[in-house]
Amino acid sequence: MIQEGKYRRIVVKVGSNVLTREDGRPDTTRISALVDQLARLHGAGIETILVSSGAVASGRSLLEPRTGRIDTVSARQLYSAVGQVRLMTRYYDLFHEYGIACGQVLTTKESLSTRRQYLNQRNCMEAMLAAGVIP
């Protein structure tokens, strides 16, 4: 357990393997347990940032029965586009149970490629944290 007052901010990174079951579908029990832990940190006054993978896996499990197994860049983009909404909705619903708002910041290497872009991303995250929102 994290000692209260020791940390001001924590970044938690979870990958697709953590968020999905063996069959590729979202592991709602594990996602719920993750949100429970993050809500406790948030409630202890620790600024909490969630960096989450899982959009492609979430979309694939939903669409693959319709599309068949395809593994192209456009297929991953399709799965990600659909899965991101599904994943964020799940996070939103779970955090909402604790009265916590969460928000999405889409970041790529290109989003951080210039000082100006980096500062825009940082300022967005700082504003979210200041408002008590979990990015």
Side-chain angles (χ1 to χ4, degrees), residues 5-135:
K6 185 173 181 177
Y7 299 98
R8 182 176 75 87
R9 178 178 294 163
I10 292 181
V11 178
V12 177
K13 165 67 170 91
V14 292
S16 296
N17 288 340
V18 172
L19 300 175
T20 56
R21 301 183 325 189
E22 284 184 25
D23 64 5
R25 292 188 303 163
D27 187 332
T28 54
T29 302
R30 191 170 290 156
I31 294 169
S32 181
L34 170 68
V35 169
D36 293 344
Q37 293 172 48
L38 296 176
R40 278 198 299 275
L41 291 171
H42 184 80
I46 298 170
E47 292 179 339
T48 307
I49 299 170
L50 173 61
V51 179
S52 178
S53 296
V56 173
S58 184
R60 177 179 281 129
S61 70
L62 185 66
L63 294 175
E64 205 167 62
R66 298 180 207 169
T67 62
R69 180 97 174 138
I70 49 177
D71 194 26
T72 63
V73 171
S74 59
R76 285 189 298 279
Q77 289 172 327
L78 167 64
Y79 295 150
S80 180
V82 172
Q84 192 64 36
V85 173
R86 187 179 193 199
L87 191 59
M88 281 306 299
T89 299
R90 188 72 186 134
Y91 282 132
Y92 172 86
D93 290 341
L94 290 168
F95 279 116
H96 184 71
E97 291 177 17
Y98 287 96
I100 299 171
C102 66
Q104 182 176 7
V105 178
L106 295 174
T107 303
T108 64
K109 283 188 285 186
E110 291 77 22
S111 314
L112 306 171
S113 63
T114 69
R115 178 83 176 147
R116 185 172 151 241
Q117 290 170 315
Y118 161 76
L119 290 173
N120 285 340
Q121 290 275 311
R122 186 191 72 181
N123 292 340
C124 176
M125 298 271 279
E126 291 289 343
M128 292 172 80
L129 292 168
V133 174
I134 294 182

